[in-house]
Amino acid sequence: MKVKKAVILAAGMGTRMLPSSKVIPKELLPVIDTPAIQVVVEEAVASGIAEIIIVISPGKATVVDHFKPNAELERHLEDRGKRDILEIIRLSNDPARITVAEQRQPLGLGHAVLQAREAVGDEPFAVMLPDDIFDCPRPCLRQLLDVAEARDAPVVALLKVARSEISKYGIVDARADGDRTYELRGMVEKPAPEKAPSEFAIMGRYVLTPDIFELLAAGKPGAGGEIQLTDALMALTARRKIYGYEFEGVRYDLGDRVGFISAQIGFGLKRPDLADRLRAYLKSVISQE
């Protein structure tokens, strides 16, 4: 099971980050100075992905434009001798073969994945959500791909969450089946904590097989009139084994205000050019409390 394609879902309206996402797509909001969409694309490329399909909604073409060369900007930087910034800019130019699929109506995560069906074709593929940013010793997606290739099966990223957070996520019913690996027996979308089958939530990285498209196409709209990816995954468990992997690393939710701020701090403290000043500032703030 070799995966060479990834689908990045960037069609959402970004309501959790309004008003900043009113004009600027939330996928272009930065982690320090790098747009979230670029962080995700870099993870995909570092994981061995050669082709990326970005699913966008009407009016969000700038998400894809970010990866196109900007000759005027590059010439401006060249003329002023700003070679260091120029090299950084050029690294974002065409990092992989990028194509676009469009979700014309906001009909759910599953519906967004379905829009990439033609571009993916009849082969396994990854799905990545730009709201979820990972800081891992190995790219999070690469961790999942290793399990998918070893088990020849779909895999989703798992994170153990606090019971107070359970109702925000899709929670799995899982049986341990190896180091950090679980066989999924079912899943429940946003259950009450007392009804949750476990404390493991699905995060925004998936490795899927193409038979998921048939299930998505046949799926009936669920909550909010949306086609849920979780429903298709539950149906897929009746056809084949699906695994969850408790990834090694840290996950930040860029769609949550505290998660967004935490990502700036977490990644900022790892930047040699920022860490000392940022650490000093944080100490000064804490000392004033």
Side-chain angles (χ1 to χ4, degrees):
M1 183 169 171
K2 294 294 183 182
V3 178
K4 293 299 180 184
K5 295 181 179 180
V7 177
I8 299 178
L9 304 181
M13 299 183 72
T15 53
R16 289 197 296 164
M17 291 303 288
L18 286 170
S20 63
S21 56
K22 179 181 178 182
V23 175
I24 301 171
K26 64 182 174 64
E27 294 80 12
L28 292 178
L29 296 178
V31 179
I32 308 298
D33 50 14
T34 304
I37 189 71
Q38 182 176 332
V39 176
V40 176
V41 166
E42 288 175 353
E43 179 190 337
V45 172
S47 300
I49 297 296
E51 181 175 346
I52 296 170
I53 302 102
I54 302 180
V55 181
I56 61 173
S57 54
K60 295 186 73 172
T62 51
V63 172
V64 181
D65 290 344
H66 173 73
F67 298 102
K68 298 177 181 178
N70 184 328
E72 183 178 350
L73 174 60
E74 291 182 24
R75 186 165 52 250
H76 173 84
L77 295 172
E78 182 95 56
D79 291 345
R80 284 155 180 76
K82 297 183 178 181
R83 299 291 308 178
D84 52 343
I85 302 177
L86 178 60
E87 290 307 312
I88 292 173
I89 292 296
R90 284 177 172 167
L91 286 174
S92 67
N93 294 344
D94 302 316
R97 181 186 173 193
I98 295 178
T99 57
V100 177
E102 192 171 82
Q103 184 187 30
R104 295 186 178 275
Q105 294 178 287
L107 296 178
L109 203 61
H111 183 262
V113 173
L114 189 57
Q115 306 317 298
R117 184 175 192 173
E118 182 177 348
V120 169
D122 190 27
E123 60 183 282
F125 64 104
V127 172
M128 308 175 77
L129 277 56
D131 273 357
D132 286 339
I133 298 292
F134 296 85
D135 181 14
C136 301
R138 286 186 303 138
C140 182
L141 181 59
R142 184 66 256 171
Q143 295 179 46
L144 267 61
L145 290 173
D146 289 345
V147 177
E149 291 172 4
R151 302 293 180 111
D152 194 29
V155 183
V156 301
L158 296 181
L159 176 68
K160 185 174 286 188
V161 299
R163 293 199 66 81
S164 60
E165 299 287 302
I166 280 177
S167 60
K168 298 180 180 180
Y169 299 102
I171 304 297
V172 300
D173 178 6
R175 177 181 65 85
D177 192 14
D179 184 32
R180 307 182 75 91
T181 304
Y182 299 81
E183 182 181 341
L184 304 191
R185 297 178 293 192
M187 54 202 77
V188 182
E189 186 67 25
K190 299 180 179 179
E194 64 274 11
K195 295 183 178 180
S198 76
E199 295 177 343
F200 280 115
I202 301 175
M203 296 295 110
R205 298 293 183 271
Y206 310 75
V207 179
L208 303 175
T209 46
D211 45 349
I212 194 77
F213 289 124
E214 176 189 342
L215 297 171
L216 288 169
K220 296 179 180 179
E226 297 182 343
I227 296 175
Q228 301 292 343
L229 180 57
T230 305
D231 292 341
L233 287 171
M234 284 192 289
L236 192 59
T237 59
R239 297 187 176 191
R240 59 165 73 235
K241 288 186 177 181
I242 300 180
Y243 294 91
Y245 184 73
E246 186 182 5
F247 66 89
E248 298 180 71
V250 178
R251 170 254 186 182
Y252 297 99
D253 180 2
L254 296 189
D256 172 80
R257 288 166 175 79
V258 172
F260 184 84
I261 295 169
S262 299
Q264 314 308 316
I265 297 171
F267 281 93
L269 289 173
K270 300 186 75 170
R271 285 268 296 261
D273 59 328
L274 303 176
D276 289 345
R277 285 182 296 158
L278 179 56
R279 189 174 291 109
Y281 170 71
L282 292 172
K283 288 180 179 178
S284 70
V285 172
I286 292 172
S287 67
Q288 293 172 16
E289 292 185 351

